[in-house]
Amino acid sequence: MRKLTTTLVLVITFVQAYGQHTKRSDRKLRLPKNYVAIRLAFPLVNNFNYYNYSNGKSISSSNLLGFGIGVFYKGNKGDFSLTGGVNPSIRTPVKDNFNKVWVTGQHSISSFFIDALHHRNVAKKISILGGINVQRFVYSVKGDEKSIRHKDDGIGLTLGGELNLSPMFAPAILYRPVIIPLGTQKYYHTLSLAVNLNAPLVNPFKAHGFR
């Protein structure tokens, strides 16, 4: 538990430090009201709830790191994004039921996702997120006698919040429950603490006469 707490403290420290840097940069940043940006998503910590095929029970575990890429649109009637990515099987320092097996190299869980989201501002720098997703969970166990590998697809909702520290930097928390399972009829979800980076497809300095 101490190792997980240390990991989260380091993540929060990084977010705060980067946020202070982007605040200073924003003094020179001038973006148009409507623009399109390339979005890079970095899920830093991911919690999975999934079906364990080796014992026939639902189980929860946490992994580290992920990557996604997509587009972000800022418009007069709201902000929208479309992002696809992967949460690979990189275990956390927590010794939960999942990692007791995974640490031997025999057990892994990962997911692929596509999110279509609406971003609604509820405060100056806070947005709530809502939309739909498509997910694929990949579960595998390697044993001496047999190996188990399953792919479970599902359609679900994506709900969460985003802290807009700058137009280019936004930490977020995202909850992705599967509502319509297309494989095993069990409950699945991912819960992610992520950092989103936006690269506007305009020159925010030159376009507004800043030198």
Side-chain angles (χ1 to χ4, degrees):
M1 191 64 184
R2 291 181 179 178
K3 292 182 178 180
L4 178 60
T5 302
T6 301
T7 301
L8 292 176
V9 168
L10 290 174
V11 169
I12 293 171
T13 301
F14 167 78
V15 168
Q16 290 178 335
Y18 194 92
Q20 291 297 322
H21 171 74
T22 54
K23 284 180 181 178
R24 291 192 293 269
S25 299
D26 282 352
R27 296 173 185 174
K28 303 177 181 179
L29 183 64
R30 298 293 185 273
L31 286 168
K33 292 182 179 180
N34 302 328
Y35 63 87
V36 176
I38 299 298
R39 165 158 285 206
L40 299 179
F42 298 94
L44 302 179
V45 181
N46 304 293
N47 178 264
F48 295 85
N49 186 285
Y50 63 99
Y51 182 71
N52 189 334
Y53 284 92
S54 62
N55 60 20
K57 298 179 180 180
S58 292
I59 192 171
S60 178
S61 67
S62 298
N63 288 1
L64 291 177
L65 304 180
F67 176 74
I69 188 169
V71 293
F72 174 84
Y73 172 73
K74 186 172 184 61
N76 293 329
K77 296 183 179 181
D79 304 340
F80 301 89
S81 65
L82 179 65
T83 307
V86 58
N87 295 320
S89 54
I90 302 175
R91 71 182 182 90
T92 68
V94 180
K95 294 182 179 180
D96 56 17
N97 292 330
F98 171 81
N99 287 314
K100 287 178 181 178
V101 182
W102 195 96
V103 73
T104 65
Q106 296 179 337
H107 188 158
S108 70
I109 180 72
S110 59
S111 72
F112 300 85
F113 64 89
I114 298 175
D115 283 327
L117 298 178
H118 173 59
H119 304 240
R120 181 179 178 84
N121 291 330
V122 295
K124 185 177 180 180
K125 291 186 176 294
I126 299 176
S127 298
I128 56 174
L129 312 178
I132 60 174
N133 69 65
V134 177
Q135 293 189 80
R136 164 169 286 186
F137 290 81
V138 180
Y139 170 94
S140 64
V141 174
K142 295 181 180 179
D144 295 333
E145 298 181 357
K146 64 177 182 178
S147 297
I148 301 174
R149 183 175 176 84
H150 283 276
K151 297 178 180 180
D152 288 303
D153 299 329
I155 300 172
L157 299 176
T158 301
L159 306 170
E162 194 171 50
L163 180 61
N164 303 299
L165 296 179
S166 86
M168 296 182 180
F169 180 75
I173 185 167
L174 296 169
Y175 172 55
R176 300 185 182 94
V178 172
I179 304 301
I180 306 175
L182 304 178
T184 302
Q185 300 299 303
K186 299 292 182 179
Y187 172 73
Y188 288 78
H189 82 230
T190 56
L191 179 64
S192 299
L193 175 63
V195 169
N196 298 317
L197 305 179
N198 294 326
L201 298 180
V202 297
N203 187 327
F205 303 100
K206 183 177 180 180
H208 293 267
F210 179 84
R211 295 181 180 179

